[in-house]
Amino acid sequence: MRLIHAIACCLIASPALAAQTAPAPASAPAAAAPAVEKPVCRRVPITGSNMGKRECHTREEWRTLDKREDPAAARALQNRSLAIEGHKG
């Protein structure tokens, strides 16, 4: 008889305990945490190899890398065109 009484008490008390320990709404922590940016992968050529290397960065990191490399590439192309014109004359 005591066993039945104990089981009945547990069954009655479990929904009440579950309601008390319910977690906070998920929207509050999600709004506070910054969104994680998905990485973007590109195949980068390696000098002296037919196989490229795969690099993954966020979009912001790729923008920074592209801005840093653009002036150097422009200078190299400019120097190349000047060298070719010098050989013609």
Side-chain angles (χ1 to χ4, degrees):
M1 183 69 173
R2 286 186 185 191
L3 181 61
I4 295 173
H5 185 10
I7 292 173
C9 288
C10 289
L11 291 175
I12 293 171
S14 58
L17 290 174
Q20 289 176 355
T21 60
S27 62
V36 176
E37 212 176 319
K38 184 178 175 183
V40 177
C41 298
R42 294 184 187 172
R43 190 157 298 278
V44 180
I46 299 174
T47 304
S49 174
N50 291 334
M51 299 293 291
K53 180 173 86 170
R54 186 174 177 200
E55 287 189 20
C56 299
H57 299 282
T58 62
R59 290 186 189 275
E60 185 61 35
E61 290 171 339
W62 278 119
R63 276 188 218 107
T64 303
L65 289 170
D66 290 341
K67 284 180 185 177
R68 187 176 66 196
E69 292 174 5
D70 281 348
R75 276 195 309 273
L77 290 173
Q78 181 68 29
N79 292 340
R80 181 178 175 184
S81 64
L82 291 174
I84 291 172
E85 289 175 8
H87 283 288
K88 288 180 182 179

